[in-house]
Every structure is written in structure tokens, then in C-alpha cells.
Amino acid sequence: MVITSAHIPAIVALIAGVLILVMPRLLNLVVAIYLICIGLIGLGVLRWFHL
């Protein structure tokens, strides 16, 4: 399976959802990290690192 940039937001969202279910107090941190990741993906910053 090849992970493309279209799959990354879905994977990040899945991980964030699981973390929030397991540890609800992490909600602020998980949401902040999720938003930062989506912003970096949207700007294409991850392509600079060849990810």
C-alpha cells in the first residue's frame, strides 16, 4: 500500500480520535497537533522533507 498525501489527513485524524478516546484530557494537545499537521500538509511543507 502506498501512502499518498491524500491518506495522511485520514491517518492523522484516526490517531487523534483514538488518543482523545483513550485520554480525554489530551484533547487540547491532540487538536493543536492535528491542526498544525493539516496546515503543514496543506502548505506542502512535508514535501520539502520528502515525506
Side-chain angles (χ1 to χ4, degrees):
M1 180 173 116
V2 177
I3 297 177
T4 63
S5 61
H7 291 114
I8 293 174
I11 293 169
V12 172
L14 183 62
I15 293 170
V18 170
L19 286 175
I20 290 168
L21 283 175
V22 173
M23 303 177 80
R25 294 184 139 218
L26 284 179
L27 180 60
N28 291 337
L29 180 65
V30 170
V31 170
I33 291 171
Y34 174 77
L35 291 173
I36 290 169
C37 289
I38 295 303
L40 291 175
I41 292 167
L43 291 173
V45 173
L46 295 180
R47 291 184 190 154
W48 296 347
F49 299 111
H50 303 290
L51 295 174

